[in-house]
Amino acid sequence: TGIFTNADGSFLLPSFLTNSSNIAVGGINIDTGLEQVTPLKAPAGSTMINPLTTLVQAVIEHATESGVQLSRDAASQKVATYLGISLPSGQTLSNYDPLANNDANSLAAQKSAAQLTTILSLAAGANHALAETIMTNLATDIANSNNGTRDLGTLNSNDLNRLFSGTNLTNTTELIRKITTANTAIESAPNKAEISAAQEN
């Protein structure tokens, strides 16, 4: 639609667009200062758009393709449960800003967002179709998890190769090493500044 965010990433959509899912392309990631090469999505009615809302949208799309109607809030809860994110009462991933606070829950949510970004940026880069395939595979994992929890910082080579299923990625050994090294550093980061530093490296 040609809408640009403000320098802090905030945006205002015309009311006639609020019933559509949101897609953000390009720009600069406000917590790392790096170019945002992977498109971000959010379900209709969301007030946030980030890697976590992108996964929520992927879960909704996966459910729809499977013949199941899944609401934005239900999909948000599935993603939060899978990633082990505890949200404040009345909040969902579609309206929760992990950068707004400095409590333990916000730190955990930002770690998950950074680890998801790391997987997508290192594996897919600017290849949007490849990023979509990886997100679809992760959404499938969530659908099959039976409300189990996974820590993206501890995904092993089998987990990551499953996420890369159906892609044209070959010789993934070095890619997996880079992802696990970065995501382990993010997992051990004591604050959001260190999370950003781990992403930049």
Side-chain angles (χ1 to χ4, degrees), residues 2-184:
I3 293 171
F4 287 86
T5 70
N6 296 320
D8 64 357
S10 62
F11 60 94
L12 181 64
L13 296 178
S15 59
F16 66 87
L17 290 176
T18 56
N19 290 325
S20 302
S21 59
N22 303 322
I23 303 174
V25 295
I28 301 297
N29 187 307
I30 61 174
D31 63 319
T32 64
L34 301 175
E35 182 182 0
Q36 182 67 41
V37 295
T38 304
L40 298 175
K41 297 183 178 181
S46 298
T47 58
M48 295 298 301
I49 184 165
N50 56 37
L52 299 177
T53 64
T54 305
L55 184 52
V56 172
Q57 181 64 28
V59 168
I60 291 172
E61 292 171 3
H62 177 270
T64 300
E65 289 172 5
S66 302
V68 177
Q69 290 299 315
L70 193 64
S71 71
R72 180 190 67 210
D73 290 356
S76 171
Q77 187 55 56
K78 279 185 171 293
V79 172
T81 297
Y82 182 83
L83 296 176
I85 297 172
S86 297
L87 295 170
S89 177
Q91 296 267 286
T92 68
L93 290 175
S94 62
N95 62 24
Y96 178 65
D97 182 2
L99 295 176
N101 298 296
N102 288 312
D103 58 279
N105 289 338
S106 296
L107 184 64
Q110 184 58 14
K111 285 182 179 182
S112 292
Q115 289 163 339
L116 182 54
T117 299
T118 297
I119 293 169
L120 292 175
S121 62
L122 289 178
N127 185 329
H128 300 175
L130 181 51
E132 288 274 352
T133 299
I134 293 170
M135 290 297 277
T136 298
N137 290 339
L138 186 52
T140 302
D141 265 11
I142 292 172
N144 295 335
S145 69
N146 295 318
N147 294 321
T149 298
R150 290 303 308 264
D151 183 346
L152 296 181
T154 61
L155 296 182
N156 60 34
S157 59
N158 289 333
D159 298 323
L160 289 167
N161 275 317
R162 190 169 63 253
L163 293 186
F164 301 153
S165 176
T167 71
N168 58 0
L169 292 171
T170 57
N171 301 321
T172 56
T173 303
E174 180 60 16
L175 171 61
I176 289 172
R177 186 196 66 76
K178 289 180 179 178
I179 290 172
T180 54
T181 298
N183 279 353
T184 299

